[in-house]
Amino acid sequence: MGSFQLLMDGFAAALTPVNLLYALVGVTLGTLVGVLPGIGPAMTVALLLPITFTVPPASAFIMFAGIYYGGMYGGSTTSILLNTPGESSSMITALEGNKMARRGRAAQALATAAVGSFVAGTIATALLVVAAPAVVSFAISFGPEDYFALAILAFTAVSSVLSRSVVRGLASLGLGLVIGLIGIDQQTGQARLTLGVPQLLDGIDVVIVAVGLFAVGEALYVASRLRHAAPEVVPVGRAWMGRADWRRSWLPWLRGTALGFPFGALPGGGAEIPTFLSYAAEKRLAKGVAKEEYGKGAIEGVAGPEAANNASAAGTLVPLLTLGLPTSATAAILLAAFQQYGLQPGPQLFDHNPALVWAMIASLFVGNTMLLVLNLPLAPLWARVLRIPRSYLYAGIVLFAALGVYAVNGTVVDLFVLYVLGLLGFSMRRFGLPVAPAVIGMILGPMAEIQLRRALAIGAGDVSVLVRSPIAAVLLALALLALLTPLLRRLMGRLMARRGVDAVTPVSRED
């Protein structure tokens, strides 16, 4: 009853006219940036971080949550109409969704994506209400060594999962950790890596890092690969579903939700794995007409992955709010927003700021409803948005990034740092280094350092104190597993491929 009453209080805050306006702005912006290829919710939230200096926390996070959910849905539009996923988690949707569109069923594909997002988001948010207090009660017992192990788990999981290469992921993480070291050491008072610049003594503001790496870096990268040809958009009418479409979609929605939520809650789980598993499961379970349509535009191949995609978004908020552990790029930017308000997500956030947390959770229900109302009738409008010239779009992103960063402290040094980080972000994309581990390393690095020092001080310098706690030992074991899993998977793939080659190699006949 305690959680239910707090959720009702959250609805009372989320349903005020001002917060409803922020929620509407958030879901509209989120859908817009999800529709546009190359622009995701992480970049949008990063660009809007400067509003944390003027907007109340509850309103800001309600808008950010709307952007997150809207972005997860909007990626399906480009997947279906352009065969170009706006988000990496929407890649699987393109397999069947674009084929449905080319068969003249774009309206049905967009409708099952919209309704599936609503169903999955609503169920997953309800699971978040149940799961968050349970995780909080468990996390209260964490000591310094446990928090350090948790940070190590976040580092290794995100570095190995969000990158095509473990080495590249760890390299990106190392860059973020170095950026996090800039400034005055909180325990010794010594300046570190400031290069004699007084403005760097307080460190680099997380807003500048997020905007530089995500927004400016992405804009420069897209500009370097800009194509002037207008995209070919499949025409679409008003999104709708027939009775047969509803009958074929409702079970994939539920199965996709069941896969997406737990994967989103796992460190490094992400949305890509559950969407792929959902597609594979629906393809295996397909019978009759659905089985024949797979590869030609089966509606189950859109319904299940889209539900898994949006359910994982709510799952991501479980470790973020309860442990302060970001498991995606957008979650990392949300963590930066919390820090801008002087808040640290974790067990104490639920005790000290319950109104903020539960208003944000309640706004997810409101935002899901708004997304459904917006996206069913406005599908043709989102299709026209895809025709915006990319040159205008990314020039505007760079301009607003500079204005937002300059507003933080009003110094030219911040602008110089912004563009240096933008060039770094461009180089990282150019050479295949993921950006998310760098941001997570910059945000969680100082916390991990402090917790490590505290644990070693408690243990009088004995390193074994880091594994004496059962929780820390389990978390470090999971971190090692997350680090080794991609390597073991690649090794197994090579062994299987070698066995396959050996099996088909013809045996030479002796004369």
Side-chain angles (χ1 to χ4, degrees), residues 151-461:
I152 295 298
L153 175 60
F155 293 155
T156 55
V158 174
S159 299
S160 59
V161 173
L162 296 183
S163 175
R164 291 172 295 178
S165 164
V166 175
V167 175
R168 291 179 180 180
L170 292 176
S172 174
L173 174 67
L175 289 173
L177 293 174
V178 170
I179 295 173
L181 290 175
I182 296 174
I184 295 178
D185 184 357
Q186 297 182 17
Q187 291 193 349
T188 65
Q190 294 293 320
R192 301 187 297 191
L193 305 179
T194 58
L195 304 177
V197 180
Q199 288 85 352
L200 296 181
L201 289 175
D202 291 331
I204 300 178
D205 196 289
V206 68
V207 173
I208 301 174
V209 176
V211 174
L213 291 180
F214 274 96
V216 178
E218 182 70 23
L220 294 176
Y221 181 73
V222 172
S224 70
R225 296 169 171 262
L226 193 63
R227 299 292 181 269
H228 295 282
E232 179 187 354
V233 182
V234 178
V236 58
R238 181 171 180 174
W240 64 278
M241 294 174 64
R243 184 175 299 176
D245 297 324
W246 283 94
R247 186 173 61 251
R248 292 174 57 180
S249 296
W250 71 274
L251 277 176
W253 290 336
L254 297 180
R255 287 191 288 258
T257 304
L259 284 171
F261 182 80
F263 269 94
L266 290 173
E272 291 81 5
I273 296 175
T275 53
F276 175 79
L277 291 178
S278 174
Y279 179 81
E282 298 305 325
K283 187 174 182 179
R284 183 178 295 271
L285 294 172
K287 298 178 181 179
V289 177
K291 189 172 185 178
E292 296 175 0
E293 287 186 352
Y294 259 91
K296 303 175 183 177
I299 195 169
E300 293 87 350
V302 178
E306 272 304 297
N309 181 20
N310 285 270
S312 70
T316 299
L317 296 178
V318 175
L320 175 65
L321 295 177
T322 59
L323 301 173
L325 182 65
T327 58
S328 69
T330 309
I333 305 301
L334 288 175
L335 178 59
F338 275 109
Q339 293 185 345
Q340 286 299 112
Y341 283 110
L343 303 172
Q344 179 60 46
Q348 294 183 351
L349 185 66
F350 281 77
D351 291 335
H352 298 165
N353 301 92
L356 169 64
V357 175
W358 290 102
M360 181 180 177
I361 294 175
S363 73
L364 299 179
F365 290 102
V366 178
N368 265 313
T369 306
M370 287 183 174
L371 277 171
L372 184 65
V373 174
L374 276 175
N375 289 310
L376 285 177
L378 295 183
L381 174 63
W382 300 129
R384 284 196 289 270
V385 166
L386 290 169
R387 302 183 186 276
I388 295 177
R390 296 291 183 267
S391 55
Y392 298 158
L393 185 65
Y394 286 95
I397 287 174
V398 174
L399 174 63
F400 283 111
L403 290 175
V405 165
Y406 185 76
V408 174
N409 296 312
T411 66
V412 179
V413 174
D414 286 348
L415 288 177
F416 179 77
V417 173
L418 170 71
Y419 289 117
V420 169
L421 290 173
L423 290 173
L424 176 62
F426 165 77
S427 301
M428 292 173 68
R429 286 168 173 81
R430 170 65 180 81
F431 295 103
L433 271 68
V435 177
V439 176
I440 291 176
M442 183 266 176
I443 295 173
L444 290 185
M447 183 274 286
E449 179 188 10
I450 291 173
Q451 298 297 343
L452 174 62
R453 287 182 171 184
R454 288 177 180 172
L456 292 176
I458 293 173

Side-chain angles (χ1 to χ4, degrees), residues 13-14 16 18-27 29 41 44-46 48-69 330 333-341 343 355-357 359-361 363-364:
T16 59
V18 173
N19 286 339
L20 281 175
L21 177 61
Y22 276 107
L24 179 61
V25 170
V27 296
L29 277 176
T44 309
V45 176
L48 292 175
L49 278 180
I51 73 169
T52 56
F53 294 99
T54 56
V55 176
S59 300
F61 283 107
I62 285 173
M63 183 174 68
F64 291 157
I67 291 172
Y68 190 18
Y69 262 32
T330 309
I333 305 301
L334 288 175
L335 178 59
F338 275 109
Q339 293 185 345
Q340 286 299 112
Y341 283 110
L343 303 172
L356 169 64
V357 175
M360 181 180 177
I361 294 175
S363 73
L364 299 179

